[in-house]
């Protein structure tokens, strides 16, 4: 709220100074109509005063853009921290489960039930082998993020599928930018899937592949269809379809689009009864 208030104050002051510049010059050149300034005016005085007002306006505009940049940076850092917290939470859960599995195996071995222990270990390995293959991504931070989001989706009863056909070598996005982009997209996919009507399939899929000179990331989900009208608005800052807590929504996709554009990439969305898919394309840079 403070940032919004500052923005409106600066805009108001800039408009007021612009009005004063126009009024100042009109009062000099059309004195017989505008009798506002009683002091004798000279072209030099008008020029100096107009220049000072213009300089002040430019300074305030610079402050406005700097504040907007800081807001964007803070949002990115908050998202990065939230994703790190989620990853740590997932690691703690896995650690707890791992200790429980070890204790179970130890108990079975103490009871001389080696066959049962082997069967238990086999079932545990089969259960964790498939999800942990996502760590094959050649980007540790992204691998941890995808793993955490997959666990979060599965915990909510959502089937998380993925297909990775790129080693992502040469993928040069910073950790914070990559986390902000894909963390937002996966969070939105989870929310949209949970909003599906009862009885509808709940599924999220992630595809990573190379296409021409691009790394391509597809994040898809089942759930409500995004109409063409909404597709034109979803990347606007502050736009959200949420009926409650609007203050904390409407930033994610705006940030995603800005970050993707900053890296000379592009983002596309398509939605139908089959699902909604966001595709991010990042240029492959030779290293």
């Amino acid at each position: 709220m403070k940032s919004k208030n500052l923005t409106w104050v600066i805009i108001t002051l800039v408009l007021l100074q612009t009005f004063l510049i126009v009024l100042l010059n009109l009062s000099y050149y059309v004195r017989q109509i505008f009798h506002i300034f009683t002091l004798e005016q000279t072209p030099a005085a008008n020029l100096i005063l107009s220049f000072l007002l213009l300089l002040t306006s430019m300074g305030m505009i610079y402050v406005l853009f700097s504040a907007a940049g800081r807001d964007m940076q803070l949002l990115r850092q908050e998202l990065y921290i939230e994703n790190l917290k989620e990853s740590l939470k997932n690691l703690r859960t896995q650690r707890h489960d791992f200790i429980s599995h070890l204790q179970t195996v130890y108990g079975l071995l103490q009871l001389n039930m080696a066959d049962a222990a082997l069967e238990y270990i086999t079932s545990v390995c089969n259960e964790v082998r498939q999800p942990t293959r996502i760590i094959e991504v050649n980007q540790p931070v992204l691998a941890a993020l995808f793993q955490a989001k997959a666990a979060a989706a599965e915990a909510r009863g959502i089937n998380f599928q993925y297909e990775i056909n790129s080693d992502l070598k040469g993928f040069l996005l910073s950790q914070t930018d990559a986390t902000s982009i894909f963390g937002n997209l996966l969070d939105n996919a989870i929310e949209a899937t949970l909003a599906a009507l009862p009885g509808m399939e709940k599924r999220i899929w992630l595809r990573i592949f190379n296409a021409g000179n691009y790394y391509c990331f597809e994040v898809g989900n089942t759930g409500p269809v995004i109409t063409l009208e909404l597709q034109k608005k979803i990347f606007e800052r502050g736009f959200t379809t949420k009926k409650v807590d609007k203050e904390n929504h409407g930033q994610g996709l705006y940030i995603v689009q800005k970050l993707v554009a900053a890296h000379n990439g592009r983002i596309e969305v398509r939605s139908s009864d089959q699902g909604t898919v966001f595709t991010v394309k990042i240029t492959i840079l030779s290293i």
Side-chain angles (χ1 to χ4, degrees):
M1 291 297 295
K2 290 182 179 179
S3 177
K4 290 182 179 179
N5 291 336
L6 176 62
T7 299
W8 282 112
V9 168
I10 292 178
I11 291 175
T12 302
L13 289 175
V14 169
L15 291 175
L16 179 60
Q17 290 188 347
T18 302
F19 174 74
L20 288 176
I21 292 173
V22 173
L23 195 60
L24 179 66
N25 286 277
L26 282 177
S27 67
Y28 175 76
Y29 292 108
V30 198
R31 293 180 186 176
Q32 63 273 27
I33 299 177
F34 295 93
H35 300 285
I36 297 177
F37 296 94
T38 57
L39 295 176
E40 184 67 23
Q41 295 173 260
T42 64
N46 270 355
L47 182 62
I48 293 173
L49 187 55
S50 298
F51 177 76
L52 290 176
L53 289 172
L54 181 62
L55 194 62
T56 305
S57 297
M58 292 176 63
M60 287 190 290
I61 291 173
Y62 173 78
V63 171
L64 179 62
F65 277 97
S66 297
R70 286 194 297 272
D71 286 346
M72 174 69 76
Q73 185 67 24
L74 286 174
L75 284 172
R76 289 163 58 186
Q77 290 176 350
E78 288 175 1
L79 290 168
Y80 183 64
I81 292 172
E82 287 177 5
N83 284 310
L84 282 180
K85 287 180 178 178
E86 188 171 355
S87 296
L88 288 173
K89 182 180 178 181
N90 185 50
L91 287 174
R92 292 192 188 100
T93 302
Q94 290 180 345
R95 177 180 178 274
H96 180 270
D97 291 344
F98 180 70
I99 293 174
S100 298
H101 293 320
L102 282 180
Q103 291 173 337
T104 301
V105 172
Y106 179 71
L108 290 172
L109 291 176
Q110 278 189 319
L111 296 173
N112 295 320
M113 302 174 64
D115 291 341
L118 179 61
E119 181 179 350
Y120 184 80
I121 292 175
T122 302
S123 66
V124 171
C125 289
N126 289 335
E127 180 181 340
V128 302
R129 181 180 293 117
Q130 187 66 21
T132 54
R133 285 186 57 202
I134 202 168
I135 298 178
E136 294 173 3
V137 174
N138 190 34
Q139 296 286 332
V141 172
L142 277 183
L145 175 68
F146 295 155
Q147 186 71 24
K149 297 303 181 184
E154 295 287 351
R156 291 169 173 80
I158 301 172
N159 181 21
F160 190 99
Q161 301 174 340
Y162 63 91
E163 179 184 337
I164 300 173
N165 296 314
S166 174
D167 56 15
L168 295 182
K169 289 182 178 179
F171 185 70
L172 302 180
L173 261 69
S174 68
Q175 295 179 358
T176 53
D177 287 355
T179 300
S180 295
I181 292 171
F182 301 110
N184 268 306
L185 290 177
L186 288 168
D187 284 341
N188 282 352
I190 291 174
E191 286 189 14
T193 305
L194 292 175
L197 295 174
M200 288 184 63
E201 179 186 20
K202 294 183 178 181
R203 179 168 58 93
I204 291 174
W205 60 94
L206 169 68
R207 292 184 64 228
I208 303 176
F209 57 95
N210 294 358
N213 197 39
Y214 291 97
Y215 293 115
C216 296
F217 301 81
E218 283 188 0
V219 177
N221 63 270
T222 56
V225 176
I226 302 177
T227 63
L228 291 176
E229 181 180 357
L230 287 181
Q231 288 179 30
K232 298 176 182 178
K233 299 179 180 179
I234 56 177
F235 294 108
E236 297 177 3
R237 186 170 192 175
F239 177 80
T240 179
T241 57
K242 301 289 187 301
K243 302 299 182 183
V244 295
D245 195 23
K246 292 187 176 183
E247 192 69 27
N248 295 319
H249 290 88
Q251 304 292 337
L253 290 177
Y254 168 79
I255 293 174
V256 169
Q257 186 188 49
K258 290 294 183 183
L259 291 177
V260 170
H263 292 282
N264 298 318
R266 63 176 186 264
I267 182 170
E268 303 166 353
V269 58
R270 61 182 187 276
S271 185
S272 67
D273 293 336
Q274 303 302 314
T276 298
V277 179
F278 287 86
T279 303
V280 173
K281 297 181 178 180
I282 303 292
T283 305
I284 298 175
L285 300 177
S286 57
I287 57 173

